Amino acid sequence: QVQLVESGGGLVQAGGSLRLSCAASKSIFSINTMRWYRQAPGKQRELVATITSGGTTNYADSVKGRFTISRDNAKNTVYLQMNSLKPEDTAVYYCNANLINLAKDTGDYWGQGTQVTVSS
């Protein structure tokens, strides 16, 4: 069974940094695109950052220059380095992976979410 396990959230002061991690279980064949989303209270889930299997990245305008997405294919893990955090970055952060499982089926999987709270 495929699982994505997130870690690294927490409480930080404005201007601080956090690093989120999302590790996929070993029961997969390969991972295509990986993404980080976030959802603030009362708001829709929004796409924050994307990284393809080839390493191409893309960011929401609101986080460009502050957040960096990366991946370690050997560890089936995606990271989100968040610097210069702002109170408006407060949200539950979710990782998403489009991957191929051992049965060679392709699908989208989600992590359980990790809370990031930025105090002013």
Side-chain angles (χ1 to χ4, degrees), residues 8-71:
L11 173 64
V12 64
Q13 288 189 331
S17 298
L18 283 174
R19 189 194 194 204
L20 306 183
S21 300
C22 174
S25 60
K26 295 181 180 179
S27 56
I28 60 174
F29 180 73
S30 66
I31 304 178
N32 299 320
T33 299
M34 305 182 83
R35 299 178 175 89
W36 285 98
Y37 288 80
R38 66 185 180 187
Q39 187 166 19
K43 294 188 177 181
Q44 289 188 332
R45 189 172 296 190
E46 65 169 340
L47 177 62
V48 175
T50 301
I51 185 166
T52 68
S53 57
T56 299
T57 59
N58 214 336
Y59 299 92
D61 288 342
S62 58
V63 306
K64 279 182 182 177
R66 300 188 298 121
F67 290 12
T68 302
I69 188 171
S70 61
R71 61 192 287 170

Side-chain angles (χ1 to χ4, degrees), residues 56-114:
T56 299
T57 59
N58 214 336
Y59 299 92
D61 288 342
S62 58
V63 306
K64 279 182 182 177
R66 300 188 298 121
F67 290 12
T68 302
I69 188 171
S70 61
R71 61 192 287 170
D72 184 333
N73 292 328
K75 296 182 179 180
N76 292 334
T77 300
V78 62
Y79 305 96
L80 187 67
Q81 177 67 43
M82 304 184 294
N83 299 328
S84 303
L85 282 161
K86 305 175 181 179
E88 50 264 44
D89 294 319
T90 295
V92 178
Y93 284 71
Y94 298 89
C95 69
N96 167 271
N98 180 268
L99 57 82
I100 303 172
N101 62 22
L102 293 179
K104 302 296 177 68
D105 296 320
T106 302
D108 277 337
Y109 294 84
W110 292 86
Q112 81 282 3
T114 186

